[in-house]
Amino acid sequence: MFIVNYIKEVFGALKSLAVGLRRTMFYFTHHKEIITEQYPDNRATLKMSDRFKGEVVMPHDEKNEHRCTGCTACEVACPNGTIKIITKFEVNAEGKKKKAIDKFVYHLELCTMCNLCITACPSDAIKMAQTFEHSVFDRSHLTKVLNKPDSKIMEGVE
Amino acid sequence: MWSISNIANWVNEWLGKNFSAAWVTVFEMVIAGILVISLFAVLGLILVIMERKVSAWMQIRLGPNRVGPKGLLQSAADTVKLLVKEAMTPNGADKFLFNLAPYLAIVVSMLLMAPIAFAKDFMLWDLNIGVLYVSAISSVSVISILMAGWASNNKYSLMGAMRSGAQIVSYELSAGLAILSIVVLTGSLNMNDIIRSQADGWWIFKGHFPVWISFIIFLIAITAETNRAPFDLAEAESELTAGFHTEYSGMKFALFFLAEYVNVFIVCAIGATLFLGGWMPFHIGHWEGFNHIMDFIPSSLWFFGKTFFLIFLIMWFRWTFPRLRIDQLLNLEWKYLLPIGMINLLLVTAMAILKWHF
């Protein structure tokens, strides 16, 4: 029936509009829900949201060891050449030559925070940090070496 | 007792004692003009800051909070910024029409101020066809929009203006039908008569079901007529940059902006007059004590309270609903609002003849 559908449509539309109006009225009357951060004023107590991505970092443990094997999966995955890995060969205890990273070069000024390198990494060596105050006076400060000096690969990470 | 009409009468008497009749008319016209212009300025400031705060809270944001106490002076600062900006006229534009359009927009909203009763016995012009006057003059505003869009010599402006033309021409109909249902119940086109007929209860209570329908239709139609979201196709930021006022800057843009907000105020004032009893206080049947307390609240407060309630409703719509496409917009008018409005008008007429209302 055309007329029944017509009336149903009108009442359905009114109902769905009312649902939307109820939601915005809830937000209007509940000021605790406000998510705006007044940044420079509340710098100490700033609350970042979980999915915010600021820069790529390489976590090191207390023995100055990281998990990066130098496989260059992240370098391949990066769409705009942000990561450059310089490898070297190390001789281990048994006298075998082994590939390791010399420098993990990260160009923050080129990075788009797309997270592709993090997902590409097979050994969870890099992750996204939530820092965001990146402004510097010289562009060269934005080119970073992520592995700390004299750091080694962690035991058991292949 | 102090009331706005007493002050007006006092001013009239004082002028009558000191000047001849012709000068009294001149002075009173000047005073009325100054009052209307200052009401414009104040309304612009208040409505802009109100809109920004309401939108912020509805979108879980803070809104302006830096200029003045709690950001209340933000719109004043913005006005100063707009005043000192250069009002450019583009090279390819039709200069005369381009500069005329904002003035036409503001003149239309000034004309609409005339038959509105702001308080008991206080209005600029007690016109016996007030409602007809309002619906006739408000359709002139589309000419200023078309003029601005055409004269800008810009495709976005022209498209915005054409859309706005189609929109206002069609929504004028259902707004008219909704207004007519109250005219049918009152039997008068005079704003004062309409308010007086609501002394024993506002039409939204007395007229029950059919008047509720026409109130909803009226709300939808005035939202469309003032070009506000979800019907802001004339501006449509995301597709037409700013629609008909893309090429305007500085004070010329500010005049369009002001006219938009004042139009919102005026249509809400008319809605308050027709459906919510204008300056009539809220009375419940035979509760003498309650009614007496309500009478103590000044009539101007009642009027502005109801008007701002309707303005809040319209802002609430704007920040809740997504914008309609042009075909959906015209579908809504011609397939839904207009037939429902016509049937509703028949219902209201039957109700008025058979005295079904309270």
Side-chain angles (χ1 to χ4, degrees):
Chain A
M1 274 289 276
F2 167 74
I3 198 77
V4 173
N5 283 339
Y6 182 87
I7 292 167
K8 257 189 204 163
E9 221 169 279
V10 169
F11 278 97
L14 283 176
K15 208 185 127 206
S16 70
L17 291 181
V19 170
L21 287 173
R22 231 181 76 202
R23 180 88 307 227
T24 41
M25 188 37 97
F26 174 81
Y27 285 139
F28 184 73
T29 48
H30 291 68
H31 290 192
K32 261 186 277 170
E33 305 269 328
I34 287 175
I35 52 170
T36 309
E37 296 280 345
Q38 306 202 49
Y39 161 57
D41 298 344
N42 70 343
R43 197 159 175 270
T45 57
L46 194 66
K47 234 185 87 217
M48 307 296 283
S49 43
D50 299 336
R51 295 197 296 180
F52 175 73
K53 302 195 286 280
E55 70 171 317
V56 174
V57 291
M58 183 181 283
H60 289 62
D61 66 359
E62 62 278 2
K63 288 187 286 182
N64 202 14
E65 289 177 343
H66 56 76
R67 297 175 63 89
C68 181
T69 57
C71 68
T72 71
C74 49
E75 190 180 336
V76 173
C78 184
N80 45 357
T82 303
I83 296 170
K84 182 81 195 143
I85 293 176
I86 301 165
T87 50
K88 62 180 177 189
F89 283 97
E90 266 179 355
V91 183
N92 64 359
E94 292 125 47
K96 269 186 190 164
K97 263 174 138 188
K98 205 178 164 196
K99 199 176 165 193
I101 57 167
D102 183 23
K103 274 179 181 167
F104 188 108
V105 184
Y106 169 58
H107 294 275
L108 180 55
E109 76 269 29
L110 299 178
C111 184
T112 59
M113 319 294 164
C114 67
N115 211 32
L116 284 176
C117 53
I118 313 297
T119 45
C121 184
S123 50
D124 292 335
I126 45 178
K127 67 176 182 108
M128 278 287 180
Q130 297 208 316
T131 51
F132 60 94
E133 289 160 323
H134 292 313
S135 16
V136 283
F137 284 105
D138 191 346
R139 215 168 68 139
S140 62
H141 291 301
L142 290 172
T143 304
K144 298 180 177 182
V145 177
L146 292 190
N147 54 328
K148 289 182 187 167
D150 301 328
S151 61
K152 280 198 314 227
I153 189 163
M154 214 176 275
E155 284 292 314
V157 178
E158 289 296 327
Chain B
M1 214 176 94
W2 283 99
S3 73
I4 297 181
S5 62
N6 281 3
I7 297 170
N9 284 336
W10 179 78
V11 169
N12 186 26
E13 271 170 32
W14 185 83
L15 284 172
K17 260 187 275 175
N18 292 295
F19 300 98
S20 64
W23 278 113
V24 170
T25 318
V26 171
F27 279 129
E28 282 179 353
M29 278 183 169
V30 169
I31 291 171
I34 291 170
L35 283 180
V36 167
I37 290 171
S38 43
L39 181 68
F40 259 55
V42 172
L43 273 180
L45 294 179
I46 292 177
L47 289 179
V48 170
I49 191 74
M50 179 178 166
E51 170 105 52
R52 292 188 63 178
K53 271 293 183 190
V54 167
S55 70
W57 286 334
M58 282 186 176
Q59 297 177 336
I60 346 182
R61 291 185 288 116
L62 281 167
N65 63 348
R66 299 281 148 162
V67 189
K70 293 195 175 274
L72 290 178
L73 296 178
Q74 180 68 51
S75 49
D78 288 346
T79 312
V80 172
K81 184 203 76 175
L82 283 170
L83 274 172
V84 298
K85 269 197 168 181
E86 184 188 1
M88 261 202 354
T89 309
N91 239 349
D94 184 335
K95 300 230 162 46
F96 177 66
L97 289 185
F98 187 83
N99 292 323
L100 184 64
Y103 291 102
L104 197 68
I106 212 89
V107 162
V108 167
S109 6
M110 278 195 181
L111 285 175
L112 284 172
M113 283 272 178
I116 294 172
F118 292 97
K120 196 177 180 189
D121 305 324
F122 185 76
M123 60 204 298
L124 285 174
W125 189 12
D126 190 2
L127 187 59
N128 60 349
I129 49 161
V131 175
L132 179 66
Y133 173 85
V134 164
S135 39
I137 296 290
S138 65
S139 17
V140 178
S141 70
V142 72
I143 291 181
S144 73
I145 290 176
L146 277 173
M147 206 183 260
W150 177 257
S152 294
N153 197 10
N154 173 327
K155 55 187 172 234
Y156 296 129
S157 301
L158 188 60
M159 276 172 84
M162 290 299 171
R163 283 181 182 186
S164 171
Q167 178 180 333
I168 292 186
V169 164
S170 40
Y171 277 82
E172 193 84 332
L173 278 171
S174 42
L177 285 176
I179 290 172
L180 264 188
S181 64
I182 297 300
V183 173
V184 163
L185 284 170
T186 320
S188 168
L189 286 165
N190 186 330
M191 288 276 191
N192 260 340
D193 283 350
I194 290 172
I195 296 171
R196 247 178 268 126
S197 72
Q198 304 180 67
D200 53 341
W202 307 345
W203 278 122
I204 196 127
F205 301 126
K206 282 204 296 182
H208 42 91
F209 194 55
V211 173
W212 297 343
I213 295 177
S214 52
F215 184 60
I216 291 171
I217 291 176
F218 180 77
L219 275 183
I220 297 172
I222 60 171
T223 318
E225 251 189 79
T226 48
N227 277 326
R228 286 175 63 82
F231 304 105
D232 62 341
L233 287 154
E235 293 171 37
E237 289 124 27
S238 43
E239 15 183 306
L240 299 181
T241 55
F244 64 92
H245 57 61
T246 307
E247 296 288 353
Y248 284 86
S249 63
M251 209 51 211
K252 285 185 217 161
F253 163 74
L255 284 183
F256 271 122
F257 203 58
L258 187 65
E260 184 194 324
Y261 277 99
V262 174
N263 278 335
V264 169
F265 173 80
I266 288 166
V267 292
C268 288
I270 288 158
T273 307
L274 294 175
F275 294 94
L276 303 178
W279 46 261
M280 277 292 172
F282 181 65
H283 283 174
I284 298 178
H286 299 290
W287 297 14
E288 294 300 332
F290 178 80
N291 292 351
H292 207 62
I293 292 167
M294 286 294 157
D295 285 338
F296 267 104
I297 300 173
S299 56
S300 50
L301 269 192
W302 276 109
F303 172 76
F304 280 102
K306 288 167 189 175
T307 308
F308 272 85
F309 167 71
L310 286 185
I311 291 173
F312 175 75
L313 270 187
I314 293 212
M315 287 182 179
W316 190 9
F317 293 160
R318 171 164 183 183
W319 298 105
T320 305
F321 302 141
R323 192 175 62 238
L324 276 74
R325 247 179 9 235
I326 185 78
D327 60 321
Q328 292 168 331
L329 177 96
L330 295 177
N331 260 354
L332 175 69
E333 164 64 19
W334 295 101
K335 284 190 180 167
Y336 294 92
L337 291 186
L338 194 64
I340 293 173
M342 279 174 165
I343 292 167
N344 191 49
L345 184 63
L346 277 180
L347 256 175
V348 172
T349 317
M351 200 172 79
I353 293 168
L354 299 171
K355 302 263 179 249
W356 280 347
H357 59 84
F358 302 122

